């Protein structure tokens, strides 16, 4: 049964005019049959004064306007009102007059309660007044039956309208949740693309800078010390393989079937010494200082990656932009609530700073460092040292409470 109703609703949505014509035709045929069979006489008063052709016109007047019951229900109700007056006045009381309740039902579905009240009053007052004049006694029972029918239709319409609005609200909420889910998916994808782009910038930028420094040093050493040139070439090969390995691990997370798809390249602070050694091998003297006791508080993997990448980017910028003999110092200071990382150098780059913050590549690097710090409510500053004595990057990162 439910399947039949669903198919009828679907047909109604596709072809509403056809459905309206079919329903109207059904009631027109029923009204005409009531007239031709004389069924209307069973409800007519004994002193009925209506000629038969008027009964036929009233039957059609109550049934034909149903074609517009959904598009113009109020107009149909107003049109049927004078026909109802004639029906009661003549005493015919044709059964087709009950069809007035159909446009009332559709009026409840689509209009305000004020409009419904006005239409119901019209359908109630006019026949009652006409019946009171036409039938001095014995008309109360008819009025009560008519009022009960009208009340039932109005309540039924309110119930159907409430359920329909509730269903529409559920559908709208489901659509909104689906849209929000799609938006969250897009935001997550954009955040992941940003993360991957940031990782690739750090990996490629750092390793290429180290390789460039080693290649320049090797070219210089090749003319005076072939042995030093060979060492530079070996360092270039090692750095290149490390960069290739990191890139493979990073791109591997983009493939679901990759064995390392559930892991991302996350260097820790334990690898900071190896990073500094590679930078030293590229020709930049780097000094590492740790403060905060012999057993500093451990950081979460995400915070360790942030500190590692900030140090890596700061040293990479020094390698790329410094134009005079330079040294760098990396200082990590642990406190009870924060980790402070300070990376300074003594060089000058284009525009008077080691990092040349105005340069596009360095500008992107500094922005990436700030984004990393912001992920953990950290703060990063980058700028020249006083008296143009070099460049510094300062990172202040809150420590997460330990749950061990």
């Amino acid at each position: 049964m439910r399947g039949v109703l669903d198919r009828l609703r679907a047909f109604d949505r596709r072809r509403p005019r056809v459905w309206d014509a079919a329903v109207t035709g059904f009631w027109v045929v029923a009204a005409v049959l009531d007239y031709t069979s004389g069924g209307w006489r069973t409800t007519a008063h004994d002193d009925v004064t209506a000629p038969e052709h008027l009964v036929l016109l009233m039957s059609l007047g109550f049934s034909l306007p149903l074609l517009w019951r959904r598009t113009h229900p109020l107009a149909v109700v107003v049109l049927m009102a004078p026909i109802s007056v004639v029906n009661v006045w003549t005493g015919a009381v044709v059964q087709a007059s009950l069809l007035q309740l159909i446009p009332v039902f559709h009026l409840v579905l689509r209009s305000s309660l004020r409009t419904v009240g006005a239409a119901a009053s019209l359908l109630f007052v006019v026949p009652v007044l006409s019946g009171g004049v036409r039938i001095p006694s014995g008309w109360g029972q008819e009025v009560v039956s008519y009022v009960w029918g009208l009340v039932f239709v109005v309540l039924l319409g309110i119930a159907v309208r409430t359920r329909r609005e509730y269903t529409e609200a559920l559908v709208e909420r489901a659509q909104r949740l689906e849209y929000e889910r799609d938006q969250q998916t897009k935001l997550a994808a954009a955040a992941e693309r940003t993360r991957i782009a940031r990782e690739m910038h750090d990996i490629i930028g750092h390793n290429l800078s180290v390789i460039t420094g080693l290649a320049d040093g090797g070219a210089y050493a090749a003319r005076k010390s072939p042995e030093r040139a060979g060492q530079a070439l070996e360092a270039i090969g090692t750095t290149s393989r490390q960069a290739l390995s990191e890139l493979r691990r990073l791109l591997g997370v983009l493939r679901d079937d990759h064995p390392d798809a559930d892991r991302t390249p996350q260097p820790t602070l334990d690898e900071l010494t190896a990073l500094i050694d590679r930078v030293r091998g590229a020709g930049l003297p780097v000094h590492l200082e740790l403060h905060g006791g012999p057993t500093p508080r451990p950081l979460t993997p995400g915070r360790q990656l942030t500190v590692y990448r900030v140090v890596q980017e700061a040293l990479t910028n020094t390698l790329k932009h410094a134009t005079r003999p330079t040294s760098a110092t990396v200082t990590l200071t642990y406190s009870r609530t924060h980790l402070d990382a300070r990376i300074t150098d003594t060089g000058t780059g284009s525009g008077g700073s080691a990092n040349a913050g105005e340069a596009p590549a360095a500008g992107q690097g500094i922005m990436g460092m700030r984004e990393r710090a912001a992920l953990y409510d950290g703060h990063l500053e980058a700028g020249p040292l006083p008296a143009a004595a070099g460049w510094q990057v300062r990172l202040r990162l809150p420590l997460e409470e330990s749950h061990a």
Side-chain angles (χ1 to χ4, degrees):
M1 184 65 180
R2 184 177 181 83
V4 175
L5 291 176
D6 290 339
R7 284 193 291 271
L8 287 176
R9 291 192 186 100
F11 178 80
D12 184 22
R13 287 192 295 269
R14 292 194 307 270
R15 300 178 180 275
R17 288 297 184 185
V18 175
W19 180 254
D20 289 341
V23 172
T24 303
F26 171 82
W27 289 116
V28 168
V29 170
V32 172
L33 288 178
D34 179 65
Y35 163 74
T36 57
S37 64
W40 64 276
R41 295 186 181 277
T42 59
T43 58
H45 297 143
D46 295 336
D47 57 345
V48 59
T49 60
E52 292 192 2
H53 69 275
L54 182 60
V55 174
L56 176 60
L57 291 176
M58 288 190 295
S59 299
L60 295 177
F62 285 123
S63 57
L64 281 176
L66 295 180
L67 183 63
W68 299 277
R69 71 190 186 283
R70 293 196 294 186
T71 56
H72 302 86
L74 182 60
V76 173
V77 170
V78 173
L79 178 63
M80 288 182 176
I83 302 175
S84 179
V85 172
V86 175
N87 182 44
V88 175
W89 188 271
T90 60
V93 194
V94 295
Q95 298 182 69
S97 61
L98 296 176
L99 296 179
Q100 297 176 94
L101 301 178
I102 296 179
V104 172
F105 173 79
H106 288 282
L107 189 65
V108 175
L109 294 182
R110 291 168 171 78
S111 303
S112 64
L113 292 179
R114 178 178 297 180
T115 303
V116 173
S121 300
L122 179 65
L123 289 180
F124 171 73
V125 172
V126 174
V128 167
L129 293 179
S130 302
V133 176
R134 176 68 177 79
I135 313 168
S137 61
W139 61 281
Q141 185 176 357
E142 294 183 7
V143 171
V144 171
S145 300
Y146 184 79
V147 170
W148 273 115
L150 188 61
V151 170
F152 172 78
V153 169
V154 170
L155 293 178
L156 178 63
I158 292 176
V160 173
R161 177 175 179 171
T162 302
R163 180 174 178 81
R164 178 180 296 178
E165 291 176 348
Y166 176 72
T167 303
E168 291 175 352
L170 290 179
V171 171
E172 182 182 358
R173 182 172 178 233
Q175 292 174 344
R176 185 172 64 254
L177 290 176
E178 183 179 0
Y179 174 78
E180 292 176 355
R181 182 200 64 192
D182 293 341
Q183 290 297 107
Q184 290 295 331
T185 301
K186 292 178 181 179
L187 290 175
E192 184 65 11
R193 286 196 299 268
T194 302
R195 185 190 69 82
I196 293 174
R198 189 163 53 231
E199 292 288 339
M200 293 188 68
H201 171 273
D202 292 342
I203 294 171
I204 296 175
H206 169 74
N207 287 286
L208 287 182
S209 296
V210 172
I211 291 172
T212 301
L214 290 170
D216 292 340
Y220 176 78
R223 295 190 292 270
K224 296 184 178 182
S225 176
E227 182 180 351
R228 296 288 300 274
Q231 294 175 353
L233 290 175
E234 290 179 2
I236 289 174
T238 301
T239 303
S240 300
R241 284 189 292 273
Q242 290 175 344
L244 184 60
S245 176
E246 286 195 64
L247 283 176
R248 283 175 175 170
R249 292 171 60 196
L250 177 63
L251 297 178
V253 302
L254 301 179
R255 296 176 52 192
D256 294 336
D257 58 345
H258 195 277
D260 294 330
D262 59 339
R263 299 193 296 272
T264 57
Q266 293 187 344
T268 65
L269 292 183
D270 293 336
E271 301 176 46
L272 196 58
T273 302
L275 169 67
I276 291 176
D277 289 340
R278 289 198 300 271
V279 175
R280 287 171 181 161
L284 175 64
V286 182
H287 180 60
L288 176 62
E289 297 179 0
L290 296 176
H291 302 283
T295 56
R297 292 185 54 187
L299 273 70
T300 59
R303 285 172 168 80
Q304 292 191 52
L305 176 64
T306 297
V307 176
Y308 181 94
R309 291 302 189 197
V310 168
V311 173
Q312 182 186 55
E313 178 64 22
L315 295 178
T316 299
N317 286 343
T318 299
L319 281 173
K320 288 193 296 184
H321 299 291
T323 58
R324 75 180 183 189
T326 304
S327 63
T329 301
V330 177
T331 304
L332 300 182
T333 303
Y334 290 86
S335 67
R336 189 174 60 86
T337 58
H338 289 79
L339 168 63
D340 292 299
R342 185 170 182 260
I343 306 95
T344 61
D345 63 57
T346 59
T348 56
S350 60
S353 69
N355 286 12
E358 299 79 19
Q364 294 173 5
I366 293 175
M367 181 175 64
M369 288 190 287
R370 286 176 175 153
E371 289 176 351
R372 287 184 181 278
L375 288 176
Y376 297 98
D377 297 324
H379 179 68
L380 185 136
E381 295 179 353
L385 291 169
W391 188 270
Q392 70 171 347
V393 174
R394 296 177 62 96
L395 169 66
R396 185 171 178 82
L397 199 64
L399 298 179
E400 188 177 52
E401 291 295 330
S402 175
H403 300 284

